[in-house]
Structures are given as structure tokens and as C-alpha cells.
């Protein structure tokens, strides 16, 4: 169901298949899926539980090798790279945000972000400055020294977003980033993802169950039983609030 190649394509996958062995049988979780996503778009992937959404994101982002098919990511044949190069590609170009935040309990908000900036060639002071900017961008400039236990769920997810955005990734993957949050915090998070696409030009691929988030999408892809059923671009420009009013710190 892919459209013709587009100059803003960040990812283009063709014929992705993935099977898992359960007992003596195989279940086919992705069935020759074609998928593409563009820079500057918030692309939402929706579909019922077990339909293959997380598996798709894992195959697109270099976390899980598909059994068949190709992923062109930033004009590289992702699964044609050696394992070490795939890891490097992920480190250099991909940001990840998950439902469970995945923060280190012993680290402060600031440390969560500076940690991922090691090995980027920045000095300690530069990494700290970059991390502060990133945390300020998500409205947490006043929570730099708090540890996860001292942060609310919404704040934790914003730390995770700051961490993902600090490296200015070209590809941002979010898997159910709002499902552990209430409606208000869910909206803050989705607006931050939208901003990553609009202001930073990232290709943002967001898996969600939440129909309230549809209003923020540029494109909505429905997947069911391992296949794409529907792929529509949202043209209404229903992108609610102006960016500058996103966060009240
Ligand atoms: N490592 C694995 N081994 C065996 N089966 C797996 C594995 N990972 C996923 N599956 C199966 O693949 C199917 C799709 O899983 P996936 O996690 O991609 O679904 P999902 O659409 O993300 O669902 P949810 O909305 O519940 O997160 C499920 O039936 C799941 O049980
Ligand atoms: Mg999932």
C-alpha cells in the first residue's frame, strides 16, 4: 500500500514479514507490510492489541530483524548493515519513547539526559547545557535534580522525551507513549511529539490506541492482523494549540 517515493521519505519499508514460533507452530505477525514515513510528519500507527504494531516499530528501528523485507532508513539499507553498524545507526539517528518511561531510578532528570549524550563527542559541560535545553523544552527546567520517584507520571514521560530529543534524532519512535497518562498529560506528550516533527523535522512514528490523539496526526495508518488496512493523510490541519503555549513550566 506504499505510495510513490517522496523526497521527504525518512523510512521506506517493503515486504516486511515477521514470524514467531509458539510451541510447534509459527504465527505470522507481519504479513508483507509496506510502510513509509516522512520527515516533518507525525505518523500514527493504530490498531487492536496483538495486531503487530510494536513488532513493526521494532523492525523499522533496527531492534528486531524481519524475516523478509527491506527497510530503507535515511537512505541506508538498515538490515543490510552489520550488527554493530545497526546499533550505531540507532544511537546516532533514533530516539525511543515507551509506555513505561524506562528511566534509571538512581539518576536525576538531568543525569538521565546527559547519560545518553556520552559518546557523542560533546564535552561534559556541553552535554550538560544540551540536556538543560532539552529539559527546558519539555517544561522541566525546574525539575533538573529530581529522581523518577519524585516525579509525576507526566513529568517522567517528559524526561523520557527530553532524553530522546537531546540527540536531535532524525527518527523518533514512540510506542504507546501516553497510555500510562491521564488525558491532560497525554495531550502534553503528543504535542511535544508533534513539535519534534514540525520544529525539528524528525519523522515521528507513534503507536497508540488512543483515538483522542488522532487530531494531532498528519497521517494515520491502521494495522490489523499484521497487515495495513488503511493509510490516510489528515489534511484538515487540525493541529490544535499554537506551539508556544504547550507547556506551562
Ligand atoms: N517475541 C515474541 N515471541 C512470540 N510471539 C510474539 C513475540 N513478540 C510478539 N509476539 C506476538 O506477536 C503478536 C503481535 O505483537 P505486538 O507486540 O507487535 O502487538 P501490538 O499490536 O503491539 O499489541 P499491543 O497493542 O497489545 O501492544 C502478538 O500476538 C504477540 O503475542
Ligand atoms: Mg505493542
Amino acid at each position: 500500500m506504499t505510495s510513490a517515493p517522496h523526497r521527504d521519505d525518512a523510512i521506506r519499508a517493503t515486504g516486511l514479514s515477521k514470524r514467531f514460533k509458539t510451541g510447534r507452530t509459527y504465527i505470522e505477525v507481519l504479513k508483507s507490510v509496506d510502510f513509509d514515513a516522512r520527515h516533518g510528519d507525525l505518523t500514527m500507527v493504530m490498531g487492536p492489541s496483538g495486531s503487530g504494531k510494536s513488532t513493526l516499530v521494532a523492525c523499522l528501528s533496527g531492534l528486531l530483524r524481519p524475516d523478509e523485507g527491506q527497510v530503507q532508513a535515511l537512505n541506508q539499507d538498515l538490515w543490510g548493515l552489520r550488527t554493530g553498524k545497526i546499533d550505531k545507526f540507532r544511537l546516532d539517528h533514533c530516539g525511543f519513547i515507551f509506555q513505561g518511561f524506562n528511566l534509571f531510578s538512581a539518576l536525576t532528570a538531568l543525569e538521565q539526559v546527559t547519560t545518553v549524550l556520552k559518546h557523542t563527542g560533546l564535552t561534559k559541560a556541553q552535554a550538560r547545557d544540551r540536556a538543560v535545553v532539552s529539559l527546558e523544552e519539555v517544561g522541566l527546567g525546574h525539575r533538573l535534580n529530581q529522581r523518577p520517584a519524585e516525579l509525576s507520571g507526566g513529568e517522567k514521560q517528559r524526561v523520557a522525551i527530553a532524553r530522546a530529543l537531546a540527540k536531535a534524532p532524525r527518527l523518533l519512535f514512540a510506542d504507546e507513549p501516553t497510555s500510562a497518562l491521564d488525558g491532560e498529560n497525554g495531550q502534553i506528550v503528543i504535542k511535544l511529539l508533534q513539535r519534534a516533527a514540525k520544529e525539528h523535522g524528525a519523522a515521528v512514528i507513534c503507536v497508540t490506541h488512543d483515538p483522542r490523539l488522532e487530531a494531532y496526526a498528519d497521517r494515520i495508518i491502521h494495522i490489523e492482523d499484521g497487515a495495513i488496512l488503511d493509510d490516510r493523510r489528515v489534511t484538515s490541519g487540525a493541529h490544535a494549540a499554537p506551539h508556544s503555549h504547550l507547556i506551562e513550566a
Side-chain angles (χ1 to χ4, degrees):
M1 194 182 283
T2 2
S3 48
H6 186 277
R7 69 187 163 79
D8 290 331
D9 277 349
I11 282 209
R12 173 164 286 266
T14 44
L16 281 187
S17 295
K18 184 72 192 172
R19 292 176 281 279
F20 289 114
K21 198 167 188 209
T22 54
R24 266 180 289 165
T25 56
Y26 282 92
I27 52 164
E28 194 153 20
V29 173
L30 294 179
K31 300 172 180 167
S32 195
V33 168
D34 295 338
F35 179 98
D36 65 276
R38 293 179 193 170
H39 292 293
D41 268 3
L42 173 50
T43 300
M44 278 195 192
V45 178
M46 308 189 82
S49 183
S51 56
K53 304 181 297 295
S54 296
T55 306
L56 174 63
V57 163
C59 289
L60 294 174
S61 59
L63 288 169
L64 184 69
R65 184 177 288 276
D67 296 315
E68 281 151 44
Q70 274 214 332
V71 176
Q72 285 289 127
L74 305 178
N75 296 317
Q76 294 193 65
D77 175 11
L78 184 62
W79 293 109
L81 299 173
R82 290 201 312 270
T83 309
K85 295 258 178 187
I86 295 174
D87 293 342
K88 174 97 169 62
F89 180 91
R90 255 199 334 269
L91 273 175
D92 288 347
H93 302 299
C94 302
F96 291 92
I97 297 155
F98 297 104
Q99 173 179 2
F101 319 134
N102 293 20
L103 300 177
F104 300 104
S105 57
L107 301 187
T108 66
L110 185 60
E111 289 164 346
Q112 311 273 353
V113 184
T114 49
T115 300
V116 300
L117 295 173
K118 282 180 191 165
H119 317 297
T120 53
L122 297 176
T123 65
K124 260 190 166 169
Q126 287 169 329
R128 186 188 187 281
D129 290 348
R130 173 87 70 91
V132 170
V133 168
S134 202
L135 284 159
E136 281 171 348
E137 193 172 349
V138 301
L140 289 180
H142 60 312
R143 292 276 186 276
L144 299 181
N145 298 312
Q146 247 103 326
R147 294 189 167 73
E150 302 154 346
L151 295 168
S152 72
E155 288 171 337
K156 279 188 262 211
Q157 195 58 302
R158 277 145 67 189
V159 173
I161 293 175
R163 180 177 62 181
L165 292 179
K167 285 192 296 183
R170 306 305 296 144
L171 306 173
L172 185 59
F173 297 95
D175 195 347
E176 307 275 6
T178 66
S179 55
L181 304 177
D182 63 27
E184 194 179 335
N185 279 295
Q187 274 213 357
I188 290 173
V189 162
I190 200 72
K191 286 176 184 173
L192 288 168
L193 297 183
Q194 191 186 50
R195 184 154 76 185
K198 299 298 154 203
E199 292 183 14
H200 300 286
V204 183
I205 295 160
C206 176
V207 170
T208 183
H209 273 119
D210 189 344
R212 288 174 302 184
L213 303 185
E214 282 191 22
Y216 299 93
D218 295 294
R219 185 165 167 201
I220 300 174
I221 293 175
H222 275 277
I223 174 166
E224 242 179 89
D225 198 17
I228 289 176
L229 281 192
D230 185 46
D231 177 351
R232 87 191 137 88
R233 185 157 278 281
V234 181
T235 49
S236 65
H239 300 137
H243 294 137
S244 53
H245 299 295
L246 292 184
I247 301 292
E248 288 136 37

